[in-house]
Amino acid sequence: MSQPPVLDLLPTEVEADLRATVRGLLDARCDAAAVTAVYDGDRAVVTPLWQSLTRELGLAGLLVPEDRGGAGASAREAAVVLEELGRAAAPVPFLTSAVIATTALLDTDGDLLAELAAGERTATLLVPLSAGPQDPLPVLGTDGAGRVSGSVTSVAGVLEADTLLVLVATDAGPALGVVGASAASVVPVVSLDMTRQLADVTLDGAEVTLVLDEGEPAVRRALQAGAALLASEQAGLARWCLEETVAYLKVRPQFGRVVGGFQALKHRLADLFTEVESASAAAVNAAAALAADDPDLVVATCVAQSYCSDVAVHAAEEAVQLHGGIGMTWEHPAHLYLKRAKADQVALGTPGAHRTRLAELVDLPGASA
Amino acid sequence: MSQPPVLDLLPTEVEADLRATVRGLLDARCDAAAVTAVYDGDRAVVTPLWQSLTRELGLAGLLVPEDRGGAGASAREAAVVLEELGRAAAPVPFLTSAVIATTALLDTDGDLLAELAAGERTATLLVPLSAGPQDPLPVLGTDGAGRVSGSVTSVAGVLEADTLLVLVATDAGPALGVVGASAASVVPVVSLDMTRQLADVTLDGAEVTLVLDEGEPAVRRALQAGAALLASEQAGLARWCLEETVAYLKVRPQFGRVVGGFQALKHRLADLFTEVESASAAAVNAAAALAADDPDLVVATCVAQSYCSDVAVHAAEEAVQLHGGIGMTWEHPAHLYLKRAKADQVALGTPGAHRTRLAELVDLPGASA
Amino acid sequence: MSAVVADLEKRVDALLAEHDPAATERLEFLRARFDAGLAWVWYPEGLGGLGLPQEHQAVVDSLLAKAGAPGNHPEKNGIGLGMAAPTILRFGTDEQRRRYLRPLWTGEEVWCQLFSEPGAGSDLANVATRAVRDGDTWVVNGQKVWTSGAQNARLAILVARTDPDLPKHAGLTYFLCDMTDPGVEIRPLRQITGEAEFNEVFLTDVRVPDSQRLGAEGEGWRVANATLNNERVSIGRASERESGMIGVVSRTWRERPDRRTPDLHDRLLRLWVDSEVFRLTGQRLRQKLAQGQPGPEGAAMKLTFARIAQQASGLEVELLREDALRYESDQGWTQVRPDRVDFTGRDAGYRYLRAKGNSIEGGTSEILRNIVAERVLGLPGEHRVDKDRPWKETAR
Amino acid sequence: MSAVVADLEKRVDALLAEHDPAATERLEFLRARFDAGLAWVWYPEGLGGLGLPQEHQAVVDSLLAKAGAPGNHPEKNGIGLGMAAPTILRFGTDEQRRRYLRPLWTGEEVWCQLFSEPGAGSDLANVATRAVRDGDTWVVNGQKVWTSGAQNARLAILVARTDPDLPKHAGLTYFLCDMTDPGVEIRPLRQITGEAEFNEVFLTDVRVPDSQRLGAEGEGWRVANATLNNERVSIGRASERESGMIGVVSRTWRERPDRRTPDLHDRLLRLWVDSEVFRLTGQRLRQKLAQGQPGPEGAAMKLTFARIAQQASGLEVELLREDALRYESDQGWTQVRPDRVDFTGRDAGYRYLRAKGNSIEGGTSEILRNIVAERVLGLPGEHRVDKDRPWKETAR
């Protein structure tokens, strides 16, 4: 077993400051009631919040080099942002636009990257939510005259995007193309997780600009980055569930005592604490590997994704259960986290898919091999 | 989904009486210290106990029809005996001789069946402990002059047997043959579970008597019966672990209270109770299906085996853990149950193997199908 | 054929002869059936029954069904039939039994349950709703929650505190409450599925005649427990292989070979085994009950039921991946008030969310584990600081 | 290179110049190393150290190893180095530190721990071993258990009850006990692996001079807790990928393609992931400690360590099937006293059994969960009936 590098898993001062800033903004402009309203079709919270994050804080440019108009930060800072967005179940397209679409465009020329970094435009990649870095990808056909047609269902980030990235079939293989969202037929999907609502997208002879010949590696790299950083969102979500539940059980009385004093619940929360701490270590390691462009990145991502996906779901399920009936109600925010966690679990590759990939990487072949 | 029959899952009065008789005998003649001594090579408890069970109580003949010298009882009674033997971690060859070897011989003529039923002889089938009803079976070669040669490793019940049943290669397929144990080279294996000690057996031109041409179906039927009834041993073992642990925790003080009052342990024991009750329902159903020669037998066995195997291990592990340090000591009998449960788990097919078989039977094919 | 069955057949024939189902108004037939003792044969004569063992009911039901007789739609009055009726039978006065059981059984009067409160969930005895005696009536004030079917109910079983100076279990009294009283306000309670299966019920100066008190003053805890035991026994019936959540998920598995993976396969098989063992455990429990041996597995079975439903529905989402994230069937997230609870209906996302309630409603899994540990295994109870002190000093 | 490192190199050079490892008797070299402050550089000067940060020790160790210097065999004195030394450093008098630390570090005096008793396991403060003052000495009587290495130990750290009239935590005192005292009787304690790693120790009128009391009379609980915190921190180091049980099982998996099945594959991969995450959590914890931020994950890590070891070793038995039931390596079931603990050694059956102890020794998983819940999450402590009452009235 070759040994991976020892990465710095502790936050820098810059990262700690960033965390405080983002949390402050989310506390002020992303309360649970506004997020819940999204489920009933009131998306008023989305655009102002996204504009604050991008135009005020410049977060869309974290992964973009300074000479391309970005902040020249790294995946570690993006991970901090995602942890906080997970904590708030925030309905903004940071992952789809500022991580995935942005990473796919890193090797392109033109202004789009800078416009994304500045928050002037928002993009998403036309793949189903569950597509992982190794999965088959939808490649759309052209008529040879720069017009692309085809459908992709269950895509995240479309409703918030003005720009769509598509893989376009060319003789030299799939190229990366850019299509204006207004040129697409977008049908919103009533989604289990409305904080990352899906949509079905159909292009019917839409005008496309090819921006990169080698489209497939760029898209896979983007999905790899997305998977590596999604773990931080999941870790942040899980930590909110733990902290909120602990806080509630410290004050909720039953049988003349606070519920948090009952040992069976204490032990479950201790186990959950163990999981949440572990998830955050795994997530920060994946982000650090991505930031360092380390060869261990794929292993680190498979580990973080398969672990954090299940921890987030478990934490949200425990939050619902341990809040008792109140956790089952629409008014209490626990359900926002349950839905987000369950959707995140299948996003960018299921835990099982990540383990299957891991098996190849670390030489633990299956039964038939 | 075709529906299985509704079998009677409650004990008859005869079965209840049988249980009381067997338990009484085991209480008197199979104490934990004597069983523990087996691990240090003192097998003094084995033969007298087996003789009491067979000659005094006639238990070896339960599955043998009355006109063949047996008790003409059914698999339900054999299941009761196995539950009690599991409770006592008793080091007797009931399963290997009175269930498996006896079932294999049911369609044979000659006196052997009656001698087994009477406890005058004790037999075992030469297959590895883990061989399940669907697994490849060892078939030994002959020199054409009635002499058989070959080796089978990790066989249970050999040390207590005077008679070995072997599958012998013939032109018409594997036949069932009988070899005297004294004609075999038997090397005892220091076994994880010394209450069902394994041995490696080599036959080198040993004289064999063929007793059944269609040997393979008989052996598979025998292993099927063994697997169906092993579940009862596991259920009995699990129940002992639960009851012993509950009893201990009701008296063991820590922090000025009995340990059984701590809620985290109460909840674990409640869950274990649920598992143990479920295991016993699954086990009695498998025994009832075997007794009724019901077409659902294979499903019932796969269900019971895959469920009870893991419950027995879980119960024994909880017994060790919840006894604290004392459960880790040689003097406390918990380890006898842990070792027996872990060995039982891989006996007659692992839980995974039984689930794989089940998948075919209930039309839940795997990914590659 | 036993004499009892022969007699029952005769009675059914007589009922049908006098009230031809094809020519009789539905309610009239149901009332006649009740009066003939064929509603619930194990109830006493004069109260819809004949004092027979419960298992004979199946004979009557099947004969009447064959004859095309109308049913009483038990699914519309689950609380009434499953909880109110046995409690009224056991604790009611003769007058109460005669007044309530007949329209309850025929479905003319639907019932709901006013037990839980925001501060009295698992700790049900902590009920804070007050009932103060005013001559021959009680004046009730408080807030109840988790009331299913309140909007359709004519009557409610109600637990209220009548003496806050007594320890909490001792100061409760059980009432039958008229839901049409002007002081009763019903608000739908939306849950994580988007639906509002349940309600909050606000009681403001609701006047309940003392004749609608069930059991003695201060005996409410004992009466309520009898009601709840009926609830727990009625949950978790799975008599068919592949019924319930495992059946749904198994069908999904068979329909979607493209989505099968080895890890999900083994998890599915484990759940299939668990479900089958659950079915067998229930079968054995029913056999014990039929022999008059109440088994201790009831609370344990509800635990298992909830676990399987949650794990299986969670697995289905992983299996279907983004297809399970389309929450599109029926009304999506629009708040509706469903006619009846459906654990396994709609789509995979709904099932996943709804199953979360299975370990909360009707006794949380935590409370059920306490019950198993204490009542079945005989382990010591929790330390109870509030047990012997006046409720008003402990209540929070 | 920092000035500190340069200075250390100079000191090492000086030591090697004066004591050529090739020509110096082993003990003499070790004593000289101690006296040069190069034993544990983070200890104070004069006590084997130089008052430097602990991470500089690695420099010294590596330079001396390269020079062929003899080591102090820390594996033979784990209790001494890991538990007794830091406690003596923190609570000892100057005289005690000078008397004990040098021979402890050189290995001349091996230590064991006399804390647990049959009635004081998880409830360690329930210690019943009595120490009664007799002038300048204490007379000790009682029974200890789970003492590893007692047969090789010259000295022991001992907790005994000096005042049974005080509540249980208040009446304890901590001593350094001479294991060669004639009143000390050591009996091997056999465990489920067949081995006797531990001992029971019977103390009969053992005389301990008051000068061997560590900390004040009645302060034993506080001192013992400091010792135990050292124990917990020292457990669960996994700095390499695939170290520990997962490494063993992964190798077995690779070597036995014939035994692989899909269900075991997914379970193995889950455990591999868990182990890797455990490794990363430990790495982060060490980085925090190096920055002087003690993280709360220590107790949590031991929980995970035990769970992984147990699940992985259990899986290995299922993988190897009957091959894992052959308990044949080394001595089989014969009772031996191993030189040191080996969690992952021998064969699959041994590993399975030995791993059961991982959730018991050094704090049961149940106690660790209490610690995490109370000290880390701030949840209320258990109801403690015995906390403020005299020990003699509560002891059982």
Side-chain angles (χ1 to χ4, degrees):
Chain A
M1 180 60 24
S2 69
Q3 291 301 321
V6 175
L7 301 167
D8 183 0
L9 304 178
L10 300 184
T12 62
E13 252 180 70
V14 171
E15 288 162 32
D17 289 348
L18 176 63
R19 182 185 303 284
T21 304
V22 176
R23 188 175 298 187
L25 188 136
L26 291 167
D27 283 350
R29 306 197 199 164
C30 181
D31 66 277
V35 177
T36 307
V38 169
Y39 279 80
D40 284 322
D42 172 3
R43 293 173 54 84
V45 68
V46 178
T47 303
L49 181 61
W50 180 231
Q51 288 186 348
S52 300
L53 291 167
T54 54
R55 301 199 186 160
E56 288 172 35
L57 302 186
L59 299 184
L62 285 179
L63 296 182
V64 177
E66 286 178 89
D67 60 9
R68 300 294 307 277
S74 83
R76 295 176 57 107
E77 286 79 14
V80 168
V81 174
L82 278 162
E83 257 193 83
E84 293 305 312
L85 296 175
R87 274 188 81 88
V92 289
F94 183 85
L95 183 69
T96 46
S97 183
V99 174
I100 297 173
T102 297
T103 301
L105 291 167
L106 277 179
D107 288 345
T108 63
D109 301 323
D111 297 331
L112 179 54
L113 190 62
E115 290 164 0
L116 290 184
E120 293 160 13
R121 290 173 73 179
T122 301
T124 197
L125 183 65
L126 284 197
V127 296
L129 176 73
S130 74
Q134 274 82 36
D135 286 332
L137 298 172
V139 179
L140 273 53
T142 55
D143 61 0
R147 292 182 180 276
V148 64
S149 296
S151 292
V152 187
T153 54
S154 304
V155 183
V158 179
L159 301 182
E160 301 84 4
D162 45 48
T163 304
L164 308 177
L165 305 187
V166 288
L167 278 176
V168 179
T170 76
D171 292 343
L176 187 64
V178 175
V179 175
S182 58
S185 154
V186 172
V187 181
V189 172
V190 180
S191 304
L192 184 72
D193 171 23
M194 292 292 276
T195 68
R196 185 174 281 138
Q197 191 174 357
L198 306 178
D200 296 340
V201 179
T202 303
L203 301 180
D204 184 9
E207 213 170 302
V208 63
T209 309
L210 299 188
V211 293
L212 198 65
D213 291 341
E214 298 273 303
E216 186 172 331
V219 167
R220 294 205 181 279
R221 197 161 52 243
L223 294 174
Q224 183 72 49
L229 292 178
L230 175 60
S232 287
E233 174 176 317
Q234 293 165 324
L237 188 160
R239 192 175 293 279
W240 182 91
C241 292
L242 171 67
E243 290 177 3
E244 190 72 13
T245 306
V246 168
Y248 178 71
L249 296 193
K250 281 182 184 172
V251 299
R252 167 74 175 169
Q254 296 261 296
F255 305 106
R257 302 158 54 180
V258 296
V259 176
F262 285 95
Q263 197 193 35
L265 306 192
K266 287 165 63 177
H267 279 204
R268 277 161 67 172
L269 289 168
D271 285 339
L272 189 58
F273 167 81
T274 305
E275 289 180 38
V276 169
E277 281 296 318
S278 303
S280 87
V284 78
N285 182 64
L290 178 60
D293 198 16
D294 192 276
D296 198 47
L297 170 63
V298 185
V299 169
T301 302
C302 288
V303 165
Q305 263 299 292
S306 64
Y307 192 84
C308 298
S309 290
D310 288 349
V311 169
V313 170
H314 183 223
E317 290 179 342
E318 284 290 70
V320 169
Q321 178 68 24
L322 296 180
H323 275 79
I326 190 79
M328 281 292 289
T329 64
W330 193 257
E331 291 98 90
H332 192 279
H335 69 102
L336 303 173
Y337 294 83
L338 181 68
K339 292 161 184 172
R340 177 86 162 236
K342 197 65 188 172
D344 278 0
Q345 188 181 38
V346 300
L348 293 155
T350 60
H354 288 290
R355 283 193 296 272
T356 300
R357 174 81 176 118
L358 185 66
E360 297 164 24
L361 296 169
V362 302
D363 183 28
L364 291 172
S368 51
Chain B
M1 181 58 26
S2 70
Q3 291 301 322
V6 175
L7 301 167
D8 185 359
L9 303 179
L10 300 183
T12 62
E13 252 179 72
V14 172
E15 288 162 33
D17 289 348
L18 176 62
R19 181 184 305 283
T21 305
V22 175
R23 188 174 298 188
L25 188 136
L26 290 167
D27 283 350
R29 305 199 199 163
C30 181
D31 66 279
V35 177
T36 306
V38 169
Y39 280 80
D40 285 323
D42 171 3
R43 294 173 53 84
V45 67
V46 178
T47 303
L49 181 61
W50 181 232
Q51 288 186 347
S52 299
L53 291 166
T54 53
R55 302 200 184 160
E56 286 171 36
L57 302 186
L59 299 184
L62 285 179
L63 296 181
V64 177
E66 285 178 271
D67 60 11
R68 300 294 307 276
S74 84
R76 296 175 56 106
E77 287 78 12
V80 169
V81 173
L82 278 161
E83 258 193 83
E84 294 304 314
L85 296 176
R87 272 189 83 88
V92 290
F94 183 84
L95 182 69
T96 46
S97 183
V99 174
I100 297 174
T102 296
T103 302
L105 291 168
L106 278 178
D107 287 345
T108 63
D109 301 323
D111 297 330
L112 179 54
L113 190 61
E115 289 163 0
L116 290 185
E120 292 160 14
R121 290 172 72 177
T122 301
T124 198
L125 184 64
L126 284 197
V127 295
L129 176 72
S130 74
Q134 275 82 37
D135 286 332
L137 298 172
V139 180
L140 273 51
T142 54
D143 61 359
R147 293 185 179 277
V148 65
S149 296
S151 291
V152 186
T153 53
S154 303
V155 184
V158 178
L159 301 183
E160 300 84 5
D162 45 49
T163 304
L164 308 177
L165 305 186
V166 287
L167 279 176
V168 179
T170 75
D171 292 344
L176 187 65
V178 175
V179 174
S182 57
S185 153
V186 171
V187 180
V189 173
V190 180
S191 304
L192 183 72
D193 171 24
M194 292 291 278
T195 68
R196 185 173 282 139
Q197 190 173 358
L198 306 178
D200 296 339
V201 180
T202 302
L203 300 179
D204 185 9
E207 212 169 302
V208 62
T209 310
L210 299 188
V211 293
L212 199 64
D213 291 343
E214 298 274 300
E216 187 172 331
V219 166
R220 294 205 181 278
R221 197 161 52 243
L223 294 174
Q224 184 72 47
L229 292 178
L230 175 61
S232 287
E233 174 176 316
Q234 292 165 325
L237 187 160
R239 192 175 292 280
W240 182 90
C241 291
L242 171 67
E243 291 178 1
E244 190 71 12
T245 305
V246 168
Y248 178 70
L249 295 194
K250 282 181 184 171
V251 299
R252 166 74 175 171
Q254 297 261 294
F255 305 105
R257 303 158 53 183
V258 297
V259 176
F262 285 93
Q263 197 193 34
L265 306 192
K266 286 165 65 177
H267 279 204
R268 277 162 68 173
L269 289 168
D271 285 339
L272 189 59
F273 168 81
T274 305
E275 288 181 38
V276 169
E277 280 296 317
S278 303
S280 87
V284 77
N285 182 64
L290 179 61
D293 199 15
D294 192 277
D296 198 47
L297 170 63
V298 185
V299 170
T301 301
C302 288
V303 165
Q305 262 299 294
S306 63
Y307 192 85
C308 298
S309 290
D310 288 349
V311 169
V313 169
H314 183 222
E317 290 179 342
E318 284 289 70
V320 168
Q321 177 68 23
L322 296 181
H323 274 79
I326 190 79
M328 281 293 289
T329 63
W330 193 257
E331 290 98 90
H332 192 279
H335 70 102
L336 302 174
Y337 294 84
L338 181 68
K339 292 160 183 171
R340 177 84 162 236
K342 198 66 190 171
D344 277 1
Q345 188 181 38
V346 301
L348 293 155
T350 61
H354 288 290
R355 284 194 296 272
T356 300
R357 174 82 175 119
L358 184 67
E360 298 165 23
L361 297 168
V362 302
D363 184 28
L364 291 171
S368 50
Chain C
M1 198 195 320
S2 75
V4 176
V5 173
D7 176 63
L8 279 175
E9 289 193 357
K10 254 193 352 216
R11 286 171 190 266
V12 169
D13 287 344
L15 172 68
L16 291 167
E18 280 176 55
H19 304 271
D20 175 5
T24 312
E25 198 266 325
R26 186 176 159 277
L27 259 182
E28 188 189 325
F29 184 90
L30 291 172
R31 289 179 189 146
R33 177 175 165 184
F34 186 93
D35 296 337
L38 298 170
W40 35 33
V41 298
W42 69 100
Y43 271 50
E45 292 194 50
L47 294 171
L50 298 164
L52 295 175
Q54 186 170 356
E55 65 258 35
H56 293 301
Q57 187 63 39
V59 176
V60 174
D61 291 349
S62 121
L63 289 170
L64 286 170
K66 252 185 271 175
N72 67 338
H73 298 311
E75 74 282 1
K76 290 189 179 167
N77 196 12
I79 299 284
L81 291 161
M83 302 177 73
T87 312
I88 292 169
L89 178 67
R90 180 161 161 204
F91 293 97
T93 61
D94 282 349
E95 204 183 324
Q96 287 170 333
R97 293 160 154 191
R98 270 193 300 274
R99 158 68 186 84
Y100 293 110
L101 289 176
R102 192 177 190 247
L104 185 161
W105 186 85
T106 61
E108 287 162 271
E109 290 179 351
V110 169
W111 289 68
C112 68
Q113 175 190 331
L114 298 175
F115 282 16
S116 297
E117 300 180 3
S122 289
D123 185 8
L124 186 60
N126 200 38
V127 155
T129 293
R130 282 283 275 125
V132 177
R133 192 189 271 272
D134 176 22
D136 268 357
T137 67
W138 295 83
V139 181
V140 181
N141 281 282
Q143 182 193 346
K144 295 290 181 175
V145 75
W146 302 117
T147 310
S148 56
Q151 71 273 27
N152 304 319
R154 174 73 173 75
L155 289 156
I157 46 180
L158 166 72
V159 178
R161 185 159 308 277
T162 43
D163 190 344
D165 293 324
L166 292 174
K168 69 180 188 180
H169 294 86
L172 299 172
T173 303
Y174 197 107
F175 297 99
L176 310 177
C177 171
D178 188 336
M179 292 293 284
T180 64
D181 188 286
V184 175
E185 188 202 343
I186 297 165
R187 294 186 204 158
L189 178 63
R190 196 176 185 184
Q191 64 201 86
I192 65 176
T193 56
E195 299 186 343
E197 262 175 51
F198 299 98
N199 299 277
E200 294 178 292
V201 177
F202 295 82
L203 307 168
T204 311
D205 291 336
V206 174
R207 298 186 70 84
V208 179
D210 190 54
S211 61
Q212 289 175 216
R213 177 174 39 75
L214 197 71
E217 194 179 331
E219 208 188 12
W221 180 245
R222 192 164 79 89
V223 182
N225 260 304
T227 303
L228 292 171
N229 285 338
N230 285 313
E231 179 182 26
R232 280 176 198 136
V233 168
S234 71
I235 282 179
R237 298 241 167 133
S239 52
E240 300 223 318
R241 184 172 279 173
E242 275 196 21
S243 62
M245 201 66 88
I246 195 65
V248 176
V249 180
S250 295
R251 281 191 289 284
T252 302
W253 180 269
R254 291 177 190 120
E255 287 161 8
R256 294 298 299 263
D258 58 311
R259 292 297 171 90
R260 296 176 195 154
T261 64
D263 68 317
L264 295 179
H265 192 223
D266 194 57
R267 281 166 60 194
L268 176 68
L269 292 172
R270 284 173 188 267
L271 285 169
W272 200 97
V273 167
D274 287 356
S275 302
E276 175 69 3
V277 175
F278 173 72
R279 182 184 75 81
L280 294 168
T281 311
Q283 201 165 89
R284 189 175 59 170
L285 180 60
R286 281 190 295 279
Q287 290 175 355
K288 277 190 195 173
L289 291 172
Q291 282 202 2
Q293 313 168 18
E297 302 95 330
M301 287 208 65
K302 182 173 179 300
L303 283 170
T304 306
F305 170 79
R307 178 179 64 77
I308 290 174
Q310 292 172 354
Q311 292 183 349
S313 61
L315 184 148
E316 192 186 17
V317 173
E318 285 185 72
L319 174 67
L320 290 172
R321 305 208 295 265
E322 67 271 21
D323 294 353
L325 304 184
R326 304 178 74 101
Y327 200 80
E328 295 177 304
S329 66
D330 301 343
Q331 69 281 3
W333 292 114
T334 314
Q335 179 181 327
V336 294
R337 303 184 68 148
D339 271 353
R340 54 163 159 156
V341 185
D342 190 354
F343 290 165
T344 57
R346 292 186 55 180
D347 48 26
Y350 171 84
R351 289 190 280 275
Y352 173 72
L353 297 176
R354 184 60 188 82
K356 295 287 165 274
N358 294 159
S359 52
I360 296 175
E361 59 207 346
T364 66
S365 289
E366 291 73 28
I367 291 293
L368 292 173
R369 287 193 190 94
N370 279 351
I371 288 173
V372 171
E374 293 169 21
R375 298 199 203 153
V376 180
L377 299 178
L379 292 165
E382 291 302 301
H383 171 65
R384 296 285 287 274
V385 294
D386 58 351
K387 212 175 157 191
D388 301 316
R389 291 165 56 199
W391 176 78
K392 65 180 181 188
E393 291 174 17
T394 68
R396 281 187 274 194
Chain D
M1 198 197 318
S2 76
V4 175
V5 172
D7 177 63
L8 279 174
E9 289 192 357
K10 250 185 8 206
R11 287 172 189 266
V12 169
D13 287 344
L15 173 69
L16 290 168
E18 278 176 55
H19 303 271
D20 175 6
T24 312
E25 198 265 326
R26 189 177 157 275
L27 260 181
E28 188 189 326
F29 185 90
L30 292 172
R31 288 178 190 149
R33 176 174 167 184
F34 186 93
D35 296 338
L38 298 171
W40 33 33
V41 297
W42 69 100
Y43 270 52
E45 291 193 51
L47 294 172
L50 298 164
L52 295 175
Q54 186 168 357
E55 65 258 34
H56 292 300
Q57 187 64 40
V59 177
V60 174
D61 291 349
S62 123
L63 289 171
L64 285 171
K66 252 184 271 171
N72 67 339
H73 298 311
E75 74 281 1
K76 291 190 179 165
N77 196 12
I79 300 283
L81 290 161
M83 302 177 72
T87 313
I88 291 169
L89 178 66
R90 180 161 163 204
F91 293 96
T93 60
D94 282 348
E95 202 183 324
Q96 287 170 335
R97 293 160 156 193
R98 270 193 300 274
R99 157 69 185 85
Y100 292 111
L101 289 177
R102 191 176 190 248
L104 185 161
W105 186 84
T106 60
E108 287 162 89
E109 290 180 351
V110 169
W111 289 67
C112 67
Q113 174 190 330
L114 298 175
F115 282 16
S116 298
E117 300 180 4
S122 290
D123 185 7
L124 185 60
N126 200 37
V127 156
T129 292
R130 284 283 276 124
V132 177
R133 192 190 270 273
D134 177 20
D136 268 356
T137 67
W138 296 83
V139 181
V140 181
N141 281 282
Q143 183 192 345
K144 295 289 180 176
V145 75
W146 303 116
T147 310
S148 55
Q151 70 274 26
N152 304 318
R154 173 73 173 73
L155 289 156
I157 46 180
L158 165 72
V159 177
R161 187 161 304 280
T162 43
D163 189 345
D165 293 324
L166 292 174
K168 68 180 186 181
H169 294 84
L172 300 172
T173 303
Y174 197 107
F175 297 97
L176 309 177
C177 172
D178 187 336
M179 292 293 284
T180 63
D181 189 286
V184 175
E185 188 201 346
I186 298 164
R187 294 187 204 157
L189 178 62
R190 196 175 185 185
Q191 64 200 87
I192 66 177
T193 56
E195 298 185 344
E197 263 175 50
F198 300 98
N199 299 278
E200 296 178 291
V201 177
F202 295 81
L203 306 169
T204 310
D205 292 335
V206 174
R207 298 186 72 85
V208 179
D210 190 52
S211 61
Q212 290 175 214
R213 174 171 44 74
L214 196 71
E217 193 178 333
E219 207 188 11
W221 180 244
R222 194 164 79 87
V223 182
N225 261 303
T227 303
L228 292 171
N229 284 339
N230 285 312
E231 178 182 27
R232 279 174 199 139
V233 168
S234 72
I235 282 179
R237 299 240 166 133
S239 54
E240 300 224 319
R241 183 171 280 173
E242 276 197 18
S243 62
M245 201 66 90
I246 195 65
V248 176
V249 180
S250 295
R251 280 192 289 283
T252 301
W253 180 269
R254 292 178 188 120
E255 286 162 8
R256 296 298 299 263
D258 59 310
R259 292 297 171 90
R260 297 176 194 154
T261 65
D263 68 315
L264 295 179
H265 192 223
D266 194 58
R267 283 166 59 195
L268 176 67
L269 292 171
R270 284 173 188 269
L271 286 170
W272 200 95
V273 167
D274 287 356
S275 302
E276 175 68 1
V277 175
F278 173 73
R279 180 183 76 81
L280 294 168
T281 311
Q283 201 166 89
R284 189 175 58 170
L285 180 59
R286 280 191 296 279
Q287 291 175 356
K288 278 191 196 173
L289 291 172
Q291 284 203 1
Q293 312 167 22
E297 302 95 329
M301 286 207 64
K302 182 172 179 298
L303 284 169
T304 307
F305 171 80
R307 179 180 61 77
I308 291 174
Q310 291 173 356
Q311 291 183 349
S313 60
L315 184 149
E316 193 186 17
V317 172
E318 285 185 73
L319 173 68
L320 290 172
R321 305 207 296 264
E322 68 272 20
D323 294 352
L325 304 184
R326 304 177 73 101
Y327 200 80
E328 295 178 304
S329 65
D330 300 343
Q331 71 279 6
W333 293 113
T334 313
Q335 179 181 327
V336 294
R337 303 183 70 150
D339 270 351
R340 54 163 161 160
V341 184
D342 190 355
F343 290 165
T344 57
R346 291 185 54 177
D347 47 26
Y350 171 84
R351 289 190 280 275
Y352 174 72
L353 296 176
R354 184 60 188 81
K356 295 286 164 275
N358 294 159
S359 53
I360 297 175
E361 57 208 344
T364 67
S365 288
E366 291 72 28
I367 291 293
L368 292 173
R369 286 193 189 94
N370 279 350
I371 288 173
V372 171
E374 293 169 21
R375 297 196 204 157
V376 181
L377 300 177
L379 292 165
E382 291 301 302
H383 171 65
R384 297 285 289 272
V385 294
D386 57 352
K387 211 175 155 190
D388 301 315
R389 291 165 56 199
W391 177 79
K392 65 180 181 190
E393 290 174 18
T394 69
R396 279 187 278 194

